[in-house]
Amino acid sequence: MIEKEMLSLLACPDCKNELRREKEELICKNCNRIYKIKNGIPIFGFRDDEAFWKEFFNDLSEKKGDSEEANAYFSKKSFEFTRDILHSAIGKPEGKRIVDIGCGTGHASSFLSKNNFIIGVDISLKILFHARRKGLFPVQSSATKLPLRENSFDLIICNNLLQTIKEGELVLDEIDRITLRGGKIFISTANREGILNKIFSFIERKKYEKMRLYSISEIESYLTKKNIKVCNFYFLSLPIMKFWKNKKSGLIKALSTSFIIEAEK
């Protein structure tokens, strides 16, 4: 069942106008595009170049079930390490409207569901059924064309999704569009400047060919152009399970496999 509050926050991903519900469909009030609802989950589709990742996480979900491993690009340990740093940075907000973009099974953001309204977006329908059981309101959609109302959310989480999108600027544009002024934004992604990622790009070539790795300066610069303030950043070295807050020497960048940016619109 789609809650009234959730319906009020949804929008046509193409023209960004309001949607109305008719039985098991959502219909745009402006362009009349029709979107199906499957088992209570609105389906907005995905881009052709996202099909690889849809199948990747569908397969992980089938093999690992409702587990943290079903979200992990590399290992459960690396997922937990990133998740714990995110939890500490986010804190314990209450009464907020939250979006977890690339929510997976919901393991990374479910701690927020008790005291907040949280929408989980993912391209994998299979994995969204797990997220729903943890209190997230699931939406199947591409992160590049979010079916969400503009200026409507207090907190955005985009955890380890950006590297799967070749045109990550489209995701950052969407994050900017849906976030309220004063809203918090947390983005984590693989680090282009990390030595291990350069090695893995040869070892796991098939997977890395579908990825685009970003540098922290690249994302910081794009956010700054949109008047989004970077408040803190964290470099993470997953092999040694160590992180550095607000430090970015050449050595730290080289040792780090990923980073987290905490920003405010």
Side-chain angles (χ1 to χ4, degrees), residues 1-3 6 10 21 24 26 36-43 125 129 132 137-140:
M1 180 179 178
I2 297 179
E3 301 259 343
M6 182 174 172
L10 293 177
R21 180 169 185 175
E24 293 304 300
L26 294 172
K36 299 291 184 181
I37 300 170
K38 186 174 181 179
N39 296 322
I41 299 178
I43 309 296
L125 181 61
F129 290 116
R132 180 164 60 185
F137 293 89
V139 173
Q140 191 278 325

Side-chain angles (χ1 to χ4, degrees), residues 20 29 31-32 64 113 116 135 139 195 206 223 241 245 264:
R20 71 179 189 274
K29 295 181 179 180
C31 68
N32 293 317
K64 304 296 184 180
S113 65
N116 303 277
V139 173
I195 293 172
K206 182 179 178 181
L223 293 175
M241 297 297 152
K245 182 178 179 180
E264 182 175 322

Side-chain angles (χ1 to χ4, degrees), residues 162-186:
L162 207 60
Q163 66 262 23
T164 68
I165 308 292
K166 295 283 189 177
E167 299 172 275
E169 294 83 3
L170 297 178
V171 180
L172 298 178
D173 288 344
E174 285 293 85
I175 288 173
D176 177 38
R177 182 181 65 81
I178 67 172
T179 307
L180 285 162
R181 180 61 58 188
K184 295 283 189 176
I185 298 166
F186 294 86

Side-chain angles (χ1 to χ4, degrees), residues 106-171:
H107 276 89
S109 59
S110 60
F111 79 104
L112 295 165
S113 65
K114 182 178 180 181
N115 297 312
N116 303 277
F117 184 91
I118 177 167
I119 290 177
V121 177
D122 206 283
I123 58 172
S124 169
L125 181 61
K126 290 182 180 179
I127 218 166
L128 282 169
F129 290 116
H130 300 313
R132 180 164 60 185
R133 288 198 288 268
K134 299 180 187 67
L136 281 69
F137 293 89
V139 173
Q140 191 278 325
S141 170
S142 168
T144 62
K145 291 176 71 173
L146 293 170
L148 301 171
R149 300 288 295 276
E150 64 181 36
N151 301 317
S152 295
F153 297 93
D154 306 286
L155 196 159
I156 310 295
I157 302 167
C158 184
N159 179 26
N160 274 326
L161 168 101
L162 207 60
Q163 66 262 23
T164 68
I165 308 292
K166 295 283 189 177
E167 299 172 275
E169 294 83 3
L170 297 178
V171 180

Side-chain angles (χ1 to χ4, degrees), residues 7-139:
L7 184 58
S8 71
L9 293 170
L10 293 177
C12 174
D14 290 305
C15 71
K16 310 304 181 187
N17 278 275
E18 292 181 18
L19 300 170
R20 71 179 189 274
R21 180 169 185 175
E22 291 188 10
K23 297 181 180 179
E24 293 304 300
E25 293 179 340
L26 294 172
I27 303 171
C28 178
K29 295 181 179 180
N30 178 61
C31 68
N32 293 317
R33 283 182 172 84
I34 298 173
Y35 306 97
K36 299 291 184 181
I37 300 170
K38 186 174 181 179
N39 296 322
I41 299 178
I43 309 296
F44 292 96
F46 55 92
R47 295 174 11 148
D48 290 342
D49 58 359
E50 294 173 315
F52 172 86
W53 294 108
K54 175 178 174 288
E55 293 307 315
F56 180 87
F57 285 105
N58 277 348
D59 291 343
L60 265 184
S61 179
E62 288 181 3
K63 292 173 183 175
K64 304 296 184 180
D66 188 5
S67 68
E68 292 176 335
E69 289 95 327
N71 303 272
Y73 288 90
F74 303 109
S75 68
K76 177 183 176 184
K77 192 175 181 181
S78 66
F79 172 81
E80 291 174 337
F81 182 58
T82 305
R83 178 206 62 197
D84 291 347
I85 296 170
L86 273 173
H87 284 197
S88 178
I90 292 170
K92 299 179 179 179
E94 294 186 5
K96 304 297 184 182
R97 288 176 171 174
I98 299 171
V99 183
D100 184 355
I101 305 171
C103 66
T105 60
H107 276 89
S109 59
S110 60
F111 79 104
L112 295 165
S113 65
K114 182 178 180 181
N115 297 312
N116 303 277
F117 184 91
I118 177 167
I119 290 177
V121 177
D122 206 283
I123 58 172
S124 169
L125 181 61
K126 290 182 180 179
I127 218 166
L128 282 169
F129 290 116
H130 300 313
R132 180 164 60 185
R133 288 198 288 268
K134 299 180 187 67
L136 281 69
F137 293 89
V139 173

